[in-house]
Amino acid sequence: MVVLVRPQLGENIGKTARAMYNFGLTDLVLVAPRDGWPNPAAGPAAAGADVVLDRARVVDSLGEAVGDCRRVFATTVRDRGMVMPVVTPLEAAAQAHAEIDAGGRVALVFGPERSGLSNEDLALADTILTVPVNPAFGSLNLAQAVVLVAYEWFQHRAPAPAVADHRAGQGAPKQALADLHAQLVADLDARGYFRSEGRYERQARSLRTLLENARLTDQEVQTLRGVFKTLTWAPRDPGDA
């Protein structure tokens, strides 16, 4: 779940909901939101991620929000001198998924827009989550930070993008490829292509692999058979009508 501690602006809560829903997260907890809840400014900023806002829970303290969690990641860009592990969003995603797979509950905690999490907030976490940014300018707004963390969360388990195979179902039958290969090898052999007996099998096999990897359609096989046949004919006399 994503926990926003003392969020100040309804717009940022809405943008957080949008970022969460982009990457498959729907469990949002608000700790003592400054302007109360519901907040009319959140809806338009969520841009359709209403399911996150509708399910959002409000609690009075961070301790209440994470009480049933086995792993709590607290986000901060500053070195607070806390003695606890520090991870990037990528590392946090792997660890969070492992915890959930083991039956645990995980919280990703973000602080107020202006000040971030306090040391008292951080003391309730067991891991610091820091986004690597330009050391000369480490300012991220709330929704940006959520996007970066949620993205890595999603990528850790996301399936590879499906690539449409526009030739699926159009491949030539294996026998047609075998016949094309036999014709090609016979024609090349008749013209002395296989100059060494010791190389015949390897070269013939390489030609078969080439034809297989080309993923020819049945029509393309027939076209090539016609091309090969034409090339083996005796040259046409220019004077023939």
Side-chain angles (χ1 to χ4, degrees):
M1 68 177 170
V2 171
V3 180
L4 302 186
V5 179
R6 300 180 296 280
Q8 297 169 322
L9 299 175
E11 290 88 343
N12 284 338
I13 297 174
K15 291 176 182 178
T16 291
R18 181 179 182 178
M20 289 172 59
Y21 205 36
N22 279 151
F23 301 110
L25 294 169
T26 58
D27 191 2
L28 174 63
V29 178
L30 306 175
V31 177
R34 185 189 66 181
D35 297 331
W37 189 255
N39 188 313
D50 297 327
V51 63
V52 179
L53 298 181
D54 292 343
R55 295 179 182 179
R57 294 175 288 123
V58 178
V59 297
D60 294 329
S61 67
L62 179 57
E64 182 180 353
V66 302
D68 61 347
C69 294
R70 292 186 185 174
R71 194 72 183 273
V72 177
F73 296 87
T75 59
T76 179
V77 296
R78 290 178 288 170
D79 181 5
R80 304 291 190 86
M82 308 291 286
V83 183
M84 64 177 69
V86 178
V87 298
T88 65
L90 179 62
E91 295 165 330
Q95 294 177 17
H97 278 292
E99 186 66 53
I100 291 171
D101 288 345
R105 186 165 168 77
V106 171
L108 304 170
V109 181
F110 299 82
E113 294 92 322
R114 179 171 296 182
S115 60
L117 294 171
S118 68
N119 285 344
E120 289 75 17
D121 297 326
L122 294 174
L124 295 175
D126 48 65
T127 306
I128 296 288
L129 199 171
T130 296
V131 178
V133 292
N134 177 6
F137 188 70
S139 176
L140 288 174
N141 69 36
L142 180 57
Q144 285 177 325
V146 174
V147 163
L148 292 170
V149 175
Y151 170 81
E152 294 294 358
W153 161 271
F154 185 76
Q155 287 296 108
H156 190 77
R157 288 285 172 86
V163 178
D165 186 354
H166 299 293
R167 297 171 71 89
Q170 301 179 25
K174 294 299 182 183
Q175 187 58 53
L177 288 172
D179 293 342
L180 174 65
H181 176 254
Q183 177 185 348
L184 177 60
V185 169
D187 290 343
L188 290 173
D189 193 25
R191 283 154 182 78
Y193 177 80
F194 303 105
R195 300 180 185 278
S196 170
E197 285 291 332
R199 299 176 60 190
Y200 176 89
E201 289 189 6
R202 180 168 59 83
Q203 289 179 312
R205 186 166 56 248
S206 294
L207 289 170
R208 180 61 185 268
T209 300
L210 184 152
L211 294 176
E212 290 284 355
N213 289 345
R215 301 183 64 203
L216 301 170
T217 66
D218 197 40
Q219 181 60 53
E220 289 168 340
V221 167
Q222 297 307 315
T223 298
L224 285 175
R225 295 203 67 174
V227 169
F228 295 161
K229 183 177 181 180
T230 301
L231 289 174
T232 60
W233 287 346
R236 182 177 178 178
D237 189 328
D240 290 345

